[in-house]
Amino acid sequence: MSTLTSTGTSSRWRTIGQALTGLAAISALVAAGSAISDVTSADHTTLVVQTWRMYGLFLCGGLFVLLAVRPRVHGAVWALVILNKAALTVTTAAYLAHGGIAEAAKTVGWDGALTVVLVTAYLMSRADPTGRAKTAG
């Protein structure tokens, strides 16, 4: 009976973690879609930066989809996306402290929240109340 309860709890946590990662994927893909207009309206001084940003958002969206579908298989991908979002948050927080840097406050807010969501999703999707080793899947 205890094993069934533990397994059920583990499955519920994993499902919630996958849902959080799915929401992260949707938000990244929506942001990528909205970035298309930024690329098409960019002038020559920002065209490459806006294109880079758009492709990065599509990449993150795709990685988040992989993590939502198979959260226990892609440990290195978890590490990369969490570290990327945390680094962006810390860097833009430093820019925000400097003052006068465009988009810094918005980036700290969005990427900071996304970092918290990703860490939470990672922990939930890997949860195993029995303490047994995790298996792929």
Side-chain angles (χ1 to χ4, degrees):
M1 184 79 165
S2 176
T3 303
L4 289 176
T5 303
S6 295
T7 303
T9 301
S10 178
S11 177
R12 191 172 323 118
W13 282 107
R14 187 185 321 177
T15 300
I16 294 168
Q18 287 177 289
L20 287 171
T21 311
L23 288 172
I26 291 167
S27 69
L29 293 171
V30 167
S34 71
I36 293 170
S37 65
D38 295 336
V39 171
T40 58
S41 65
D43 60 22
H44 290 121
T45 61
T46 62
L47 183 59
V48 171
V49 172
Q50 291 300 335
T51 303
W52 181 296
R53 178 178 162 272
M54 180 188 65
Y55 288 153
L57 289 166
F58 277 116
L59 176 66
C60 283
L63 292 173
F64 297 158
V65 168
L66 287 175
L67 294 174
V69 172
R70 306 272 319 263
R72 293 187 174 199
V73 174
H74 303 291
V77 175
W78 278 111
L80 288 171
V81 298
I82 290 170
L83 289 173
N84 174 269
K85 292 301 160 188
L88 188 54
T89 302
V90 169
T91 302
T92 54
Y95 295 161
L96 186 60
H98 180 270
I101 308 295
E103 303 289 319
K106 185 168 81 170
T107 302
V108 167
W110 282 107
D111 284 296
L114 184 53
T115 301
V116 171
V117 166
L118 290 172
V119 169
T120 302
Y122 172 77
L123 294 172
M124 293 179 91
S125 67
R126 316 268 308 167
D128 185 0
T130 65
R132 290 189 295 245
K134 315 301 182 280
T135 59

